[in-house]
C-alpha cells in the first residue's frame, strides 16, 4: 500500500425521494440501497465501500430527513443526524423540484459543517434549459455558501464521474478502515430483507409497506445454493391479509420477484420461504425496534 493512501467516510444526506440511493449505487457500482419511487425507502444507514490501490471510500446512505411521527422515525432521524458528525466529506442531495427551505433546521446544521460539503442538485434531466438550472444554483449558493455545487442526473449517471473525482481529491491521507475486499459493513441477510421490502413497496399500495419489517430467521448457505426463511411482520390483521392476497397470490408474487433479485445478488440458486406475522404497534415498541436494528 502506498504511503499517500487515502481513506475517508463520505456520508449522503438529504430529504426523502431526491435520489440519494440511486446516487449511492452509481458511486459504489453495486445495487446496495433499495430504489423505489416511494419516499422513505431507506430506513438504516447503508454502507458501501469503494476500494482501489490508492484509496478506500466508505459511503453511507442515510434515511431521508423527516419530522418523526413515531419511535421508528425518531431512530431514522438519528441515523441522518449522526451522519453529520462522522463524515470526512458530506454529500447533501437535493433535486430540481424540491423546495430548498424544506427541513430548514437540518439544512442549518449542514451550513455549519466544517468538513467539505458537496451539494448535489439531482434530476437535472427534468429541466428544460440552463436558465432554470442557474436560478436553482444561485438559490442554493445563498443557503449553503460554503458548499461546492454539482448538478447531476443520478438516473442517467450524468456528472457522477466528476463528483467521484472530487470526492477522491478531498479524502484525507489514511490507511483503509476495512479490508480491501469489503463491499459493505452489512451482513448478507440484511440485503435479503432490503430486497423483500423493495418488492413490497413496488407491489403494495398506500401505507402497508411502511408498517412492515422483515426478519431473516434462517440463512443456510451451501456452495451452490442458499435456503432462506423470512418472517414479514405487520401491525394489523388487515395488513396481513393484503400481503398474503387472494389465495396467497400477492405473497407468491413478492416471493418470486424477491427470489430472482436475491439470486442475482448472491449469484446462487435460492430457496426462499416467506411467512407473515402480526406484531401490533411494533414501530413504537423499543424492544422490537432494537430487534430490528433501529436502536442500539
Amino acid at each position: 500500500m502506498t504511503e499517500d493512501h487515502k481513506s475517508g467516510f463520505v456520508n449522503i444526506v438529504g430529504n426523502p425521494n431526491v435520489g440519494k440511493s440511486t446516487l449511492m449505487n452509481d458511486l459504489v457500482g453495486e445495487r446496495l440501497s433499495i430504489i423505489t419511487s416511494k419516499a422513505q425507502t431507506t430506513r438504516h444507514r447503508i454502507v458501501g465501500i469503494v476500494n482501489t490501490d490508492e484509496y478506500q471510500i466508505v459511503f453511507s446512505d442515510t434515511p431521508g430527513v423527516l419530522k418523526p411521527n413515531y419511535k421508528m422515525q425518531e431512530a431514522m432521524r438519528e441515523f441522518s443526524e449522526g451522519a453529520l458528525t462522522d463524515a470526512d466529506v458530506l454529500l447533501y442531495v437535493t433535486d430540481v423540484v424540491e423546495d430548498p427551505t424544506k427541513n430548514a433546521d437540518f439544512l442549518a446544521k449542514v451550513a455549519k459543517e466544517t468538513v467539505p460539503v458537496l451539494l448535489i442538485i439531482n434530476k437535472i434531466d427534468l429541466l428544460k434549459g440552463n436558465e432554470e438550472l442557474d436560478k436553482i444554483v444561485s438559490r442554493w449558493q445563498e443557503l449553503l455558501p460554503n458548499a461546492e455545487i454539482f448538478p447531476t442526473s443520478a438516473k442517467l449517471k450524468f456528472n457522477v464521474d466528476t463528483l467521484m473525482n472530487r470526492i477522491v481529491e478531498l479524502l484525507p491521507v489514511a490507511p483503509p478502515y476495512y479490508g480491501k475486499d469489503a463491499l459493505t459493513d452489512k451482513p448478507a441477510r440484511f440485503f435479503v430483507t432490503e430486497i423483500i421490502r423493495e418488492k413490497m413497496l413496488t407491489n403494495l399500495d398506500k401505507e402497508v409497506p411502511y408498517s412492515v419489517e422483515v426478519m431473516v430467521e434462517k440463512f443456510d448457505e451451501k456452495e451452490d445454493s442458499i435456503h432462506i426463511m423470512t418472517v414479514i411482520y405487520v401491525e394489523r390483521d388487515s395488513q396481513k391479509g393484503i400481503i398474503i392476497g387472494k389465495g396467497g397470490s400477492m405473497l407468491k408474487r413478492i416471493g418470486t420477484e424477491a427470489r430472482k433479485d436475491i439470486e442475482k445478488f448472491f449469484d446462487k440458486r435460492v430457496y426462499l420461504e416467506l411467512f407473515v406475522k402480526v406484531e401490533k404497534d411494533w414501530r413504537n415498541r423499543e424492544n422490537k425496534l432494537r430487534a430490528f436494528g433501529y436502536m442500539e
Side-chain angles (χ1 to χ4, degrees):
M1 201 183 312
T2 57
E3 277 181 23
D4 52 359
H5 183 276
K6 293 175 148 196
S7 280
F9 291 87
V10 177
N11 296 346
I12 304 172
V13 296
N15 290 315
N17 233 19
V18 290
K20 294 189 299 300
S21 297
T22 309
L23 181 69
M24 159 105 159
N25 291 339
D26 283 352
L27 291 165
V28 176
E30 289 281 342
R31 201 166 169 283
L32 292 181
S33 294
I34 65 171
I35 303 164
T36 73
S37 59
K38 299 191 182 187
Q40 209 192 307
T41 47
T42 302
R43 287 182 176 176
H44 299 264
R45 273 182 79 166
I46 297 175
V47 167
I49 301 163
V50 176
N51 288 298
T52 71
D53 290 341
E54 289 81 39
Y55 61 80
Q56 180 178 82
I57 309 175
V58 185
F59 283 105
S60 175
D61 179 21
T62 58
V65 180
L66 38 77
K67 298 251 183 305
N69 291 325
Y70 38 84
K71 274 198 166 61
M72 183 185 86
Q73 288 184 337
E74 279 170 27
M76 286 162 61
R77 174 98 186 197
E78 277 170 28
F79 289 139
S80 299
E81 301 213 334
L84 297 181
T85 60
D86 59 10
D88 292 300
V89 180
L90 193 67
L91 305 189
Y92 185 90
V93 185
T94 180
D95 64 19
V96 297
V97 290
E98 180 176 75
D99 173 5
T101 58
K102 189 176 173 185
N103 265 324
D105 55 337
F106 188 80
L107 199 59
K109 288 178 184 171
V110 174
K112 288 190 187 121
E113 277 298 307
T114 52
V115 299
V117 176
L118 307 183
L119 173 76
I120 289 85
I121 301 172
N122 192 23
K123 306 183 188 175
I124 62 162
D125 48 297
L126 302 178
L127 295 177
K128 293 186 176 67
N130 284 341
E131 270 182 41
E132 276 185 276
L133 181 59
D134 292 342
K135 273 186 202 158
I136 294 168
V137 167
S138 60
R139 182 79 203 276
W140 277 104
Q141 277 170 333
E142 285 170 27
L143 291 166
L144 292 177
N146 298 328
E148 288 180 50
I149 295 177
F150 288 81
T152 57
S153 167
K155 188 174 150 195
L156 304 179
K157 294 185 170 55
F158 172 77
N159 217 16
V160 173
D161 287 349
T162 315
L163 173 63
M164 186 67 162
N165 293 339
R166 185 61 183 135
I167 291 166
V168 172
E169 284 172 8
L170 292 167
L171 290 178
V173 172
Y177 295 101
Y178 293 91
K180 279 292 199 172
D181 57 349
L183 176 67
T184 179
D185 69 339
K186 294 288 185 199
R189 53 180 64 207
F190 173 80
F191 293 99
V192 171
T193 64
E194 288 290 279
I195 289 167
I196 294 167
R197 274 205 317 116
E198 180 189 38
K199 298 311 166 196
M200 286 191 284
L201 281 159
T202 50
N203 281 297
L204 298 166
D205 287 337
K206 303 200 175 76
E207 282 302 301
V208 175
Y210 297 106
S211 323
V212 162
E213 191 51 79
V214 183
M215 285 279 276
V216 175
E217 300 282 327
K218 176 181 177 179
F219 188 93
D220 184 10
E221 189 166 10
K222 296 193 167 62
E223 208 169 311
D224 60 347
S225 66
I226 313 172
H227 181 184
I228 303 169
M229 195 177 92
T230 63
V231 178
I232 297 168
Y233 288 96
V234 294
E235 293 193 309
R236 294 194 294 278
D237 289 320
S238 58
Q239 293 164 343
K240 181 178 177 177
I242 291 166
I243 288 172
I244 291 170
K246 196 174 178 186
S249 57
M250 179 53 76
L251 193 62
K252 190 177 177 187
R253 185 199 298 180
I254 291 164
T256 303
E257 288 182 14
R259 180 183 51 75
K260 285 177 184 165
D261 274 13
I262 295 166
E263 285 183 332
K264 245 185 257 170
F265 192 90
F266 292 105
D267 201 19
K268 284 185 181 187
R269 210 159 35 84
V270 168
Y271 175 56
L272 178 66
E273 292 181 274
L274 297 178
F275 300 91
V276 187
K277 280 186 187 172
V278 178
E279 194 63 75
K280 294 206 185 321
D281 199 31
W282 69 262
R283 288 182 292 183
N284 274 316
R285 288 163 56 194
E286 283 194 16
N287 63 333
K288 285 293 154 200
L289 290 172
R290 227 169 245 117
F292 295 148
Y294 292 102
M295 301 171 85
E296 292 297 318

